[in-house]
Amino acid sequence: MEETPVLWEHEAGVLTLTLNRPEVLNAVNDRMAEQLLDALRRAERDSEVRCVVLTGAGRAFCAGQDLRERAGGEFSYAQHVRSRYIPVISKIQALEKPVVAAVNGVAAGAGASLALACDLRVASEEASFLQAFARIGLVPDSGATYFLPRMVGLAKAFELCYLAEPLPATEAARLGLVNWVVPGAELLSKAKEVARRLAAGPTRAYGLTKRALYRNLRAELLDAMDYEAMLQDAAGRTEDHREGVQAFLEKRPPNFVGR
Ligand code: T3D
């Protein structure tokens, strides 16, 4: 039977992508990376998709690179990271729709980077984040050194990367790396509740908000405000903006259509 390393389920505007190699804790092989990128590209094109949830099958979220593919032989790590991981992480960041990670278990190595690249994280009480790279003599990659210091501060980022100890979900939430921690049995329902709410929101404004938040991480205040003003022009021309104002004036909830 052909392996399907990424499962795809679309319901009511929410696309759920499940990393599906549970026997190796959803470690990433080339086929999984390809399918994940393909799924994200389809999510970008499909106007019916208004929020993406990323989760893992079985007891783990993702254990990072499949290390069985690394046994022996000459190999270009740079080329592999550039061709497999950078496109996926960049696509999550550039996707102008909310992306929610439902972290069901351990997220290690590039698996942790995948979770960090999502806009929001819901974690189960059993989940943990592991900068596994130092354990195998590698450098944190796939955005880990970008996201971590921004989310938890430089000192904690050093600790997590150097010592490579698992960071439990509750501690991750305390540090601001996770938005919600829930019992394992409630993980998907909580993630989908958040996702359904986002999928019923002003998709275009969310996409522009994501663009502004990332872009303005490295901007001066005046420049950031000017960029916001420019995006506001685009948001101000959407059907959802007109509906939002109309609904406010009519004292009723808005019915956003994502345009
Ligand atoms: O190569 C490049 O392109 C460079 C890019 C690198 C990016 C990276 O992600 S580097 C980091 C790679 N990931 C790791 O180093 C993590 C390796 N895994 C672990 O350290 C542990 O498995 C965990 C801490 C995540 C979980 O531990 P535990 O005790 O709960 O589970 P386990 O028994 O270690 O694993 C269960 C099975 O999954 C086991 O297989 P088996 O013995 O039952 O047949 C184990 O080998 C397999 N597995 C877990 N992680 C990976 C894996 N198999 C292949 N690759 C893995 N990454």
Side-chain angles (χ1 to χ4, degrees):
M1 201 172 67
E2 203 189 344
E3 201 189 22
T4 311
V6 179
L7 303 176
W8 164 292
E9 180 201 86
H10 185 187
E11 195 188 356
V14 177
L15 174 70
T16 302
L17 300 176
T18 305
L19 306 176
N20 184 41
R21 303 183 72 221
E23 67 288 354
V24 287
L25 307 188
N26 304 315
V28 182
N29 60 7
D30 282 356
R31 193 161 157 72
M32 179 189 274
E34 272 166 29
Q35 283 197 2
L36 186 53
L37 182 60
D38 186 48
L40 291 165
R41 284 182 174 146
R42 287 165 66 181
E44 185 173 52
R45 286 192 303 269
D46 187 347
S47 60
E48 297 293 308
V49 173
R50 292 171 65 189
C51 182
V52 176
V53 172
L54 182 62
T55 192
R59 72 177 174 93
F61 177 74
C62 175
Q65 170 62 37
D66 188 329
L67 296 176
R68 293 173 192 187
E69 291 192 345
R70 287 293 155 276
E74 272 297 299
F75 177 77
S76 167
Y77 283 87
Q79 201 269 332
H80 193 254
V81 172
R82 286 183 185 128
S83 66
R84 290 294 178 240
Y85 289 99
I86 294 179
V88 169
I89 300 291
S90 307
K91 185 53 70 187
I92 293 173
Q93 201 191 27
L95 184 64
E96 292 197 358
K97 298 177 184 183
V99 184
V100 179
V103 187
N104 50 306
V106 65
S113 301
L114 267 181
L116 297 183
C118 295
D119 307 344
L120 295 168
R121 276 152 296 284
V122 186
S124 82
E125 286 166 349
E126 297 76 35
S128 60
F129 296 82
L130 175 61
Q131 294 302 312
F133 306 92
R135 290 187 177 190
I136 55 167
L138 287 183
V139 175
D141 67 17
S142 307
T145 62
Y146 174 91
F147 293 113
L148 267 183
R150 285 172 167 80
M151 289 177 180
V152 300
L154 191 57
K156 197 70 193 178
F158 266 117
E159 179 190 325
L160 295 170
C161 294
Y162 277 178
L163 302 184
E165 294 292 344
L167 178 71
T170 46
E171 179 64 2
R174 200 186 62 76
L175 290 170
L177 189 142
V178 152
N179 301 85
W180 299 273
V181 181
V182 295
E186 293 166 27
L187 178 73
L188 272 186
S189 59
K190 175 67 185 176
K192 287 188 181 180
E193 173 196 319
V194 173
R196 276 194 297 272
R197 178 171 167 182
L198 294 169
T203 311
R204 186 90 181 99
Y206 284 158
L208 296 170
T209 302
K210 182 166 173 174
R211 215 199 278 182
L213 283 171
Y214 275 123
R215 191 262 188 194
N216 286 342
L217 279 176
R218 48 178 200 283
E220 299 292 336
L221 176 61
L222 261 182
D223 175 38
M225 291 193 295
D226 193 64
Y227 189 67
E228 289 165 357
M230 185 195 80
L231 296 181
Q232 202 66 290
D233 246 357
R237 283 193 295 269
T238 61
E239 215 173 306
D240 282 343
H241 169 59
R242 284 195 297 278
E243 164 63 7
V245 173
Q246 198 60 33
F248 173 78
L249 296 176
E250 292 171 9
K251 300 190 186 300
R252 61 169 173 81
N255 178 25
F256 292 127
V257 293
R259 292 187 296 273

